Amino acid sequence: MSKIQQVNRRDFVKLIGLASGGILLGCNVSTSQKEFVPQEKGTFTPNLFIQIQKDGTITLLASRSEMGQGIRTSLASAIADEMEADWKYISLKQATGDAKYGNQNTDGSRSVRTMLLPMRKMGATAKLMLISAAAKKWNLAETDCEAKNHYVINKITGDQIFFGDLVDEAAKVEVPAQERLTLKKVEDFKYIGKTLKSIDLKDFTHGTAGYGIDVRIPDMKFAAIARCPVTFGTVKSFDQKAALETIGVTDVFKLERLVPPTGRFFGALGGVAVIANNTWAAFQGKMNLDIEWNYGENKSFNSVEFQEKLRKRVHQKGKLVSGSTGNVSAAFKESNNTIEATYTVPFLVHAPMEVPNATAWFKGNEIEVWAPVQDPQTARAELAHFFEIPLENITVNVTFLGGGFGRKSKSDFVVEAVALSKKIKGPVQVVWTREDDIQHSFYHATSVQYLKGSLDVNGQVTGWLQRVGLPSIVSSFKPMSDYASGFELNQGFTNNPYNLTNFRLENVKAESHLRIGWMRSVVHIHSAFGNNSFVDELAFAAKKDPFEFYLNLIGEDRVLEGTSDHPFDSKRLKNVLKTVAKTSNWGKKLPKGHGLGLAVHYSFYSYVATVVEVSSVKDKIKVENIWTAIDCGLVLNKDNVKNQLEGAAIFGMSLAMFGKITTKEGAVEQYNYNDYRMTRMKDAPNIEVTIIDNMDTDPTGVGEPGVPVIAPAICNAIFNATGNRVRSLPLADSGLV
Amino acid sequence: MNILLSINEKSYAIEAASETPLLWAIRDIVGLTGTKFGCGVSQCGACSVLIDGNLIKSCGIPVSFAVGKEIFTIEGTSETLEFLREAWNEGNVPQCGYCQSGQLIAATSLLDKIHHPSDEDIDTAMSDNICRCGTYTRIKKAIHRAAALKNKSL
């Protein structure tokens, strides 16, 4: 991060949408994390702001999108803690999409990871300035003053001055150099590592939180778009008569597909747009359209046949992936105990409760957008590209997100809204139906994996061969990207946490016929399923208890530096494993028909282990209990981490039990929550989350790491309960739910 | 056609096609956006409202059905709903918050009918409401807590 500065320029304060006056501190935080989407380069510094007003209010400009991960509360708490602020004076203002706020791409479980330290330093800086101002007033040394609960206290006399009353004086104090800052010790934290309730609770329980779909502008129209059932198909012809006769419909027209340039952006699918006075009229008008499509080359895409194709390919030699080590063929030859297995994960879709939607107003040489986006800067840059409007004339207002899970990183729906607004010359909100969301998404890829392993007479793994067929996310940015890319394989395949002497990873061809995107936990869903299922199979073949087998396979204590700031530490992985074995009482006597399953995974630099208990009654499976342990380093907001891990267990259950997108003749066969099913209250197990106390270590990911372990742990538990090995998701396909 | 709706004890005169689902009449015409669209086919419960005290998925009934009846939405207040809000707050229930309007309305309906709900009662009453963030265990705990708060006040 850069040095922290006071930003006094009035025009600038206005530019970032804060009231003038008080102290405004800013600093520049740059992130070097690899992005899925190329990020626009920022030239404007600083990019992180807090403001302290005379009434004591502290406003943090929230640059990250809130989609349920609690980031607004978490980041504010870090500043408040270092500042010795009273939580009730903290408020947040959501930043628009602009490179001046640094990297805003909210995915990869990275917000806390990259922004905690700068936030703490900002808080400490503000505190020191307030103390300086008070010391001057009292004519004391700064060391004779301390800050406490929004006051600076005179340690000699016990006098105290309210933060707000010091603002004018503090604004004149030179911003202290970072070397002068003393960050609080872990034991002195007041908010960090404790439980803070969501700062937005009141709005969430009164229906007043403003999501994208709630945006209302005078005289705005509502729109729905009929898109081709086959990916990238186009409109051949259409009859608009019935649609136009629908009550409330005002306009019907063709929307051309906007093709993204290679390497960046998402574009828009195009189709036939229906403009109306309310959302329902637009939906009705859309249903009344009669459209003939040019389906294009993806018409032949049948997902079941495709999985068969991948299955054949993973049973033949693939491309060797670097990171392989030793000689697996020799290991297999030497062993008299080898096993093989093939695992399948279907296409999946995010299905956030709030469907994709955006409100746009194209005003000639200016665009204003209100949308639930995870990556507002890419949305803005994309609009500049397609509509040839200077970036500075485009405002992307970020609303609350009714769930994101990666879907709302892709700004196709924002592009659509602007294209519609440009055409009708007024504000318009495009709303996807749930069917649109299920059938025209950027899908989480399907995968087929073949694994072969060998054991020696002591039950030690001597060889591990893994072949993966996985359509690549890169295909959405670069056509003909027919193999999973390096950054995808590096999510649990090339960097599995096992201590293997002979390891060979091969990559097989997997073309894309759908738009492929990323969903919460991304490729870790595939790698964790393959790895953990196979380890359980190996443990059984070795006649060992899976817990002991895992401990041994993770191997001796070692730290692998890697290229990131967060080295892999095998000890921490074994620790979560031991912890969850304890909390689940692993090895206990179980009721008849019950089974326990274990899974361990390292993702987004966090360490997670899960034990699932299932029961089987008349061949139907019920998940009874889930115990999860996570080591994510320093915990910012304990209850929020717990909530995320509980939610991850349910998200993992949904995909394990029901999640499946299939296509026939290029078209997605699922429609809505009736056939793309979700875990519901009646299916929800008891969930017990244990957070490892590791407050002296850097924070790592929380939003995603809890998901990948769930499906394999469930399948391993089913094997333990019934002897039935499920190698293909979802369980519904095996008649188990 | 001209339609008179009573929502949270307030009257709204609107102009809407009679077959317009109540959800869209409330959201787009009346302008109360706390009631959410999730699926449009009565599968997710995000659009739950009470009509004369009965739990209804507002995406699945025409606005004309609600004429002359009392509609209760998340923007409203009732003794039960306030206890639930308190419990939701206490349990830090929501994540993204989007489904919580419908969850709170469904829970209001449950507690208005059953004063001491069992886990099974909650499973039955709340399984029409999807939470994609997966806050079910918190919702269940919060309903028990709200029931206790309410019973204590009686």
Side-chain angles (χ1 to χ4, degrees), chain A residues 153-171:
Chain A
I153 295 163
N154 182 328
K155 286 202 270 189
I156 297 164
T157 64
D159 288 349
Q160 52 181 37
I161 310 175
F162 181 59
F163 275 4
D165 296 333
L166 288 166
V167 161
D168 280 344
E169 278 305 309

Side-chain angles (χ1 to χ4, degrees), chain A residues 135-154:
Chain A
K136 211 166 160 194
K137 216 166 193 167
W138 284 322
N139 212 0
L140 282 175
E142 284 173 11
T143 47
D144 289 328
C145 306
E146 63 177 349
K148 209 172 169 183
N149 210 29
H150 239 73
Y151 285 85
V152 177
I153 295 163
N154 182 328

Side-chain angles (χ1 to χ4, degrees), chain B residues 46-120:
Chain B
C47 67
S48 298
V49 299
L50 302 183
I51 297 181
D52 285 346
N54 297 311
L55 183 63
I56 302 275
K57 289 171 189 72
S58 65
C59 74
I61 53 148
V63 62
S64 55
F65 174 85
V67 173
K69 301 186 170 100
E70 180 57 32
I71 305 163
F72 183 77
T73 72
I74 192 67
E75 286 90 351
T77 181
S78 77
E79 198 194 22
T80 306
L81 182 54
E82 293 310 321
F83 283 122
L84 283 162
R85 281 181 172 137
E86 194 181 331
W88 246 242
N89 198 52
E90 184 59 33
N92 198 27
V93 172
Q95 288 189 25
C96 86
Y98 191 83
C99 75
Q100 300 294 345
S101 299
Q103 304 278 4
L104 281 159
I105 294 292
T108 301
S109 169
L110 167 66
L111 287 194
D112 280 345
K113 292 192 183 82
I114 304 176
H115 291 217
H116 300 275
S118 62
D119 278 354
E120 290 68 29

Side-chain angles (χ1 to χ4, degrees), chain A residues 489-503:
Chain A
L489 294 176
N490 208 31
Q491 293 183 35
F493 285 114
T494 42
N495 57 342
N496 73 49
Y498 315 132
N499 199 6
L500 296 166
T501 316
N502 299 303
F503 166 68

Side-chain angles (χ1 to χ4, degrees), chain B residues 14 34 37 99 109 113-114 128 131 149:
Chain B
I14 61 164
F37 167 65
C99 75
S109 169
K113 292 192 183 82
I114 304 176
D128 280 359
C131 173
L149 288 170

Side-chain angles (χ1 to χ4, degrees), chain A residues 243-441:
Chain A
L244 267 176
E245 282 168 2
T246 310
I247 297 175
V249 170
T250 58
D251 206 354
V252 175
F253 51 85
K254 184 175 159 185
L255 193 67
E256 293 296 338
R257 179 180 171 212
L258 290 170
V259 182
T262 301
R264 57 212 293 246
F265 304 151
F266 301 96
L269 287 172
V272 179
V274 177
I275 310 292
N277 294 326
N278 62 70
T279 314
W280 184 72
F283 287 178
Q284 286 302 105
K286 180 185 158 198
M287 280 169 65
N288 291 337
L289 282 169
D290 188 3
I291 308 171
E292 215 181 312
W293 303 100
N294 290 313
Y295 292 112
E297 60 184 34
N298 291 321
K299 172 88 157 78
S300 61
F301 184 56
N302 178 316
S303 61
V304 175
E305 285 169 13
F306 180 68
Q307 281 180 347
E308 272 313 305
K309 201 192 268 182
L310 290 184
R311 181 174 279 269
K312 279 193 189 124
R313 285 178 188 163
V314 296
H315 286 109
Q316 293 159 9
K317 214 166 173 146
K319 282 207 301 201
L320 179 65
V321 176
S322 73
S324 300
T325 179
N327 186 340
V328 288
S329 315
F332 292 161
K333 239 177 248 164
E334 272 170 37
S335 170
N336 56 10
N337 194 0
T338 60
I339 63 164
E340 299 168 72
T342 306
Y343 303 97
T344 310
V345 177
F347 286 105
L348 298 169
V349 72
H350 325 71
M353 293 307 295
E354 181 198 25
V355 287
N357 69 87
T359 307
W361 197 348
F362 184 94
K363 306 169 190 170
N365 196 33
E366 249 178 68
I367 296 172
E368 185 155 15
V369 162
W370 298 260
V373 282
Q374 285 175 245
D375 188 0
Q377 284 177 33
T378 295
R380 188 176 185 230
E382 180 157 31
L383 297 178
H385 168 81
F386 284 116
F387 300 98
E388 296 174 344
I389 300 279
L391 202 63
E392 59 270 24
N393 291 3
I394 301 171
T395 307
V396 177
N397 300 288
V398 182
T399 63
F400 275 107
L401 280 65
F405 313 116
R407 175 63 186 93
K408 290 168 184 167
S409 303
K410 294 88 174 170
S411 31
D412 55 335
F413 50 95
V414 179
V415 176
E416 287 177 347
V418 175
L420 296 174
S421 177
K422 185 179 178 184
K423 173 90 180 178
I424 69 166
K425 300 183 174 66
V428 63
Q429 178 176 89
V430 65
V431 180
W432 289 40
T433 62
R434 177 59 61 195
E435 291 80 5
D436 293 337
D437 175 52
I438 302 273
Q439 301 194 328
H440 303 285
S441 192

